[in-house]
Amino acid sequence: MTKIDKVELLKRLPTIEPEKALEEDSDDLRQMSLSSALLMLAEIDHEHEYQLCRSVAQHLLGEAREPEDIELEE
């Protein structure tokens, strides 16, 4: 029966360096989950988010038209 030297096998493996891209992806994932959690905690759904944005637009611009009233083609 052949005995395997596990320590020696581990020493042969190349060292794995963390990649910068993976770290950046992890940060993005953490930020996305945090933003979703904050929206849930504040009980902000799509309709409430729309109303908040509309309210801010009205405050800053003095008016906020409904999306169906805006002509996109010139």
Side-chain angles (χ1 to χ4, degrees):
M1 180 152 67
T2 306
K3 184 173 180 178
I4 298 175
D5 186 353
K6 294 177 186 175
V7 174
E8 187 59 36
L9 286 175
L10 287 173
K11 286 179 184 177
R12 290 175 158 184
L13 292 174
T15 304
I16 299 173
E17 298 295 328
E19 294 180 26
K20 182 72 174 164
L22 292 176
E23 292 173 6
E24 290 172 359
D25 289 345
S26 298
D27 288 340
D28 290 344
L29 289 175
R30 272 190 238 115
Q31 288 175 357
M32 287 190 311
S33 65
L34 178 61
S35 62
S36 297
L38 288 175
L39 290 175
M40 289 175 54
L41 288 171
E43 297 179 355
I44 298 176
D45 58 8
H46 291 293
E47 181 62 28
H48 192 213
E49 181 181 16
Y50 170 78
Q51 292 301 330
L52 287 171
C53 291
R54 184 171 171 70
S55 175
V56 169
Q58 283 177 327
H59 177 74
L60 294 174
L61 304 172
E63 69 172 333
R65 295 184 288 169
E66 291 295 331
E68 59 269 6
D69 296 337
I70 299 171
E71 291 184 32
L72 298 176
E73 295 179 15
E74 293 181 33

